Amino acid sequence: MRVAEREKEQERRMNAMIRSFFSNVSHEFRTPLTMISGPVAQLCEDPGLSEQNRQLLLIVQRSTDRMLELVNQQLDFSKLENDTLRLRVRRTDIIRVLQRRIDIFRVNAATKGISLQTCGLEETCVMWLDEDKQDKIFGNLMSNALKFTPGNGRIVVRFDMIGHDEAARLFPGDAAVRWMRYVKVSVANTGADIPEDQREKIFERYYRINNRTEGSYNYGTGIGLYYTRSLVELHHGRIKASSPEELSGALFTFILPLRIARRNSPPLGCRGFRGGFRTRTHRRAGAEKRVGARRRCRRGQLPLHTIVALL
């Protein structure tokens, strides 16, 4: 028993050392990448630059931005492991965030001859959201879709707003699905399917499907989808992998609780809200409290300032 405990403690220390090492390396990478990114962005805006050189610099800029994303993702992953990663939410149009990322991937998809289609992204939807984390969630799913879609294949992105019943059908038996409304985002791609017995495992840390010839999700570090799920769950959302009905390939769907972000509505973590989204229980309790207060008001049992507040 003591031997097993010692081995477990040794493994825990080794994992902590590895996380600390990668965190330190990521910090060292981020400084020079930032120094490269700034001058490249300035050169791209030079009006005297030839079109050919501009296109070459844009490739450098996209590659540098992607490396910075990976470095920041590694730093976030270290915070996840230490339970210190926090959301910074604000009023955000989630459709704008999705469209911005799609515009970036549309260029890469075109070079591979991949058709990138969207549905439901014509309007706006302002909600309380950590824009940076949402961008990483969607960016990881799009990166996977682009990586494992063969040439002349197809990627379909859909956005929708759904109610509690549909969310419960998507995630049956999940007690965390308790909000009244959700936004639903799905990314489907043609290509290799994900085996049914591994659709839950691919979200585990360091898990990989190692059949590279058929297209393997999480090939490499094995933290991409684990990181994505962690960010979704920080938003009190859920994510799953399945097979699309209209395509032969993979489908990733995530839902996030929807609370319309009016200017005076509270964000995540405000008092009286679970994660910023008022549940049916909260609404029912509030309605019963107001009805009871009005009854006492009619009986003359409430002070004047309370009566004024109810008018």
Side-chain angles (χ1 to χ4, degrees), residues 170-186:
L170 279 171
F171 298 88
D174 193 332
V177 179
R178 61 183 184 271
W179 314 110
M180 289 299 293
R181 290 194 298 169
Y182 291 83
V183 296
K184 182 181 77 168
V185 180
S186 62

Side-chain angles (χ1 to χ4, degrees), residues 6 111 140 147 169 209 225 251 254 257:
R6 283 198 299 269
T111 59
N140 276 341
K147 186 185 305 181
R169 284 195 296 270
I209 304 175
L225 290 176
L251 169 66
F254 69 89

Side-chain angles (χ1 to χ4, degrees), residues 70 133 148 165 198 255-256 267 271 303 310:
L70 294 174
K133 302 300 186 293
F148 302 114
D165 292 342
Q198 300 189 48
I255 60 174
L256 301 176
R271 187 176 179 182
L310 289 170

